[in-house]
Amino acid sequence: MSASIIAVEHVFKSVTDSTGTLDILRDIDFALAPRETAAIVGASGSGKSTLLSIIAGLDTPTRGTVRLDGEDLFARSEDERAALRARKVGFVFQSFQLLGNLNALENVMLPLELAGRRDARSAAREMLARVGLGERLGHYPKVLSGGEQQRVALARAFVVQPAVLLADEPTGSLDFATGEKVMELMFDLNREQGTTLVLVTHDRAIAARCERRITIEAGQIASD
């Protein structure tokens, strides 16, 4: 196994339109160890979310690459990257990204079923109980509060026991008290499962709880 679970190697990202070329990321280079927690911080428009998408292999860099557990993401096809993500990466989004036509249990079962796990139902039940939603299994997203929806999203992300969890402003649409509870739960699950946690956040208090703070300014690492 590689010493780094994530290695971002001299990543550049540019986009070109009729007005010219815009450099979004410039020579981003860092590595994260297994179990490490890192916050990616910076002003709006600094390139944080683009960097997170590239780490996930959802977006492609103009130059450079990302290695996930030693595997070069961009030496693989889009389908191969998707398969690698399914095995190794969990996601938590500000907007929850739950499927409205599935109840809480079904939302958490989905990644397990896609992976062919026969214990999908029992594993999803256990994880929802772990995040305090054992009594809400049959509820659909529209009748859950924002905090409950984010806990379902956390359960869905962690149920596959990912090597890496990527979170983009995970408390951005929650009130302070609910956001605090969700973050406490995220860090608890990180410790229990040994998952490497990478957060994009504007919240200085959340960033301060992480072992690493990677500050992006104008597409470059200003401090790490």
Side-chain angles (χ1 to χ4, degrees), residues 85-91 154 156-166 193-196:
R85 272 198 303 275
R87 295 196 310 273
K88 305 230 180 212
V89 181
F91 296 92
L154 274 181
R156 182 181 60 188
F158 275 103
V159 76
V160 296
Q161 297 189 311
V164 173
L165 182 83
L166 305 175
Q193 293 193 3
T195 300
T196 301

Side-chain angles (χ1 to χ4, degrees), residues 42 50 58 60 69 74 80 92 105 108 110 112 120 152:
T50 299
L58 293 168
T60 57
D69 202 10
F74 301 106
E80 288 169 337
V92 179
L105 181 62
V108 178
L110 185 60
L112 297 172
V152 173

